[in-house]
Amino acid sequence: MGDHSKYYITGAFILGAVVAVGLQSLQQHGREAAGHQQQQHQIALRRLSKINDLDTLKKNLSDIEIASGNIKEGIEGCIGDTPLIKIKSLSEATGCEILAKAEFLNGAGNSPKDRVALSIIQMAEEKGFLVPHSGDTIYEGTVGSTGISLAAICRARGYKAHICMPNDMATEKSDLLLKLGAEVERVKPAPIVDQNQFVNLARTRAKEHTESKEKPGRGLFADQFENEANWRAHFTSTGPEIYEQTGGVVDAFVSGAGTGGTISGVALFLKSKLPDFKVVLADPQGSGLFNKVKYGVMFDPKEREGTRRRHQVDTIVEGIGINRVTHNFEVGRELIDDAIRVTDEQATGMARWLVEHDGIFVGSSSAVNCVAATKLAKQLGPGHRIVTLLCDSGARHLSKFWANKDVGGAENDVSLDRILAS
């Protein structure tokens, strides 16, 4: 046998020995792993044996679900984190990506006012102004949405709600408030200088409650127009959500303003992150905010606040548009780059367009926002990304904004070009 053959045989013997040892090691490891697995199964079975009734099992499963974040804590847990959706028809028509925060999916009052109402209540609780189940009552002057949000959250947290509102608002809003257990006062529309104006009346009612020896608890005036909790709610939630959902890639935000909290809060947050970001006010006819942003004056001197006695905003649009500057609007006013005026005809046309082309059924303020967002997209040109809000469902506006407007879903029933030109 040659030397080379000896080497081959020796090498093969050594290799075989190594393989044999390796196989033995793997078998031993496998036995150990199987033993460990069996041991773990036995431990799990012993633990399960201790859960000897259905209630205990349910509690353990509940703890696991809460820990994993799948269960919300009350109706308040359904507020915020609303989806950002692409409005396909408007995006295709403009070449821009027009996105909308679906704020009507907030889970308490189904509008962006859920954020504000919860913020107002939480801040009052932190300051010791509200005590649950004590008879404490929140009073507010509102055209509807804030009142609905307050009424729902008050019920959830052990308070009562008393809502003062103009009597020309859609009746379904006051009907809903009553179903939520709120007291409702519908009053004649009046300017803010009138003490019977709905906001002033709510303030008076809160004071009367606190001073009363017959009523339990105290009255708290929510004061959504001036309360810091308003814009802060959008600074800490709506703005950050938009930034995260867009990955920080967004060119403009379009929103109407009633109290001004939404546009100010979002502007303050997003402008701090995106220096070239634009904020644009969508304003209905009859409102003075358009002139305030564009020209620095609210309206003609003969109509200045304090002399004006007629109803202030001549529009069928509810929830946005006002002829005075509130604290919440003033907080972010310098960050608003432009304003776009929207007529009632444009708003109603857009509402029909959204139903017929996207299956989206919204109220008046949402329609105003979408008109303004589309106009802005046309101004900026293709390739931009614009975010706006869909505030509430059209179901709250059937008796006024949607009255006598037949929408049958017919193709090409409305023209986007005619809407924008009207």
Side-chain angles (χ1 to χ4, degrees), residues 348-389:
T348 55
M350 177 58 73
R352 292 179 63 195
W353 171 276
L354 291 172
V355 168
E356 295 183 15
H357 293 268
D358 298 275
I360 297 173
F361 182 50
V362 291
S364 54
S365 57
S366 303
V368 169
N369 286 344
C370 288
V371 171
T374 306
K375 285 187 173 185
L376 179 62
K378 294 281 191 180
Q379 293 174 13
L380 295 178
H384 292 86
R385 177 181 273 182
I386 299 166
V387 173
T388 189
L389 302 182

Side-chain angles (χ1 to χ4, degrees), residues 106-323:
N106 278 300
N110 311 123
S111 82
K113 296 301 185 180
D114 277 3
R115 301 174 189 265
V116 176
L118 181 59
S119 180
I120 289 172
I121 290 173
Q122 287 176 331
M123 187 173 289
E125 288 174 337
E126 290 169 3
K127 294 179 178 179
F129 296 155
L130 289 173
V131 178
H133 309 292
S134 65
D136 284 351
T137 302
I138 296 178
Y139 292 79
E140 182 59 304
T142 167
V143 298
S145 290
T146 303
I148 293 167
S149 295
L150 280 170
I153 300 171
C154 278
R155 281 294 176 184
R157 297 178 82 92
Y159 308 112
K160 296 180 180 179
H162 185 116
I163 305 302
C164 300
M165 63 189 303
N167 62 15
D168 62 348
M169 294 296 105
T171 56
E172 46 267 39
K173 292 184 178 181
S174 55
D175 290 345
L176 180 55
L177 283 165
L178 291 169
K179 296 298 187 295
L180 287 168
E183 291 185 74
V184 180
E185 279 191 80
R186 290 175 67 97
V187 299
K188 184 178 179 180
I192 193 68
V193 293
D194 190 328
Q195 289 306 303
N196 291 318
Q197 191 260 5
F198 65 102
V199 175
N200 293 331
L201 184 62
R203 182 187 292 106
T204 299
R205 293 286 186 257
K207 184 172 182 291
E208 289 173 349
H209 183 140
T210 301
E211 293 174 349
S212 173
K213 295 180 180 179
E214 299 177 358
K215 290 186 176 182
R218 63 192 299 179
L220 176 75
F221 176 46
D223 199 13
Q224 61 168 326
F225 290 89
E226 311 299 326
N227 196 323
E228 286 268 320
N230 186 336
W231 71 263
R232 290 186 183 278
H234 296 290
F235 179 80
T236 59
S237 65
T238 315
E241 286 172 28
I242 291 172
Y243 186 78
E244 182 179 351
Q245 289 168 327
T246 60
V249 181
V250 58
D251 298 293
F253 175 69
V254 177
S255 175
T259 64
T262 302
I263 197 167
S264 289
V266 172
L268 284 163
F269 182 84
L270 290 179
K271 285 269 191 175
S272 69
K273 299 287 185 180
L274 306 166
D276 297 326
F277 181 74
K278 291 185 179 299
V279 176
V280 178
L281 171 74
D283 210 34
Q285 65 183 54
S287 173
L289 296 180
F290 173 86
N291 287 331
K292 189 66 175 177
V293 171
K294 296 283 282 187
Y295 311 114
V297 294
M298 186 64 80
F299 34 62
D300 189 277
K302 67 178 180 292
E303 295 181 323
R304 69 183 182 274
E305 191 68 47
T307 64
R308 194 175 165 103
R309 291 292 172 180
R310 62 183 175 82
H311 183 35
Q312 287 195 295
V313 179
D314 184 19
T315 178
I316 62 171
V317 174
E318 297 179 355
I320 57 174
I322 194 172
N323 275 317

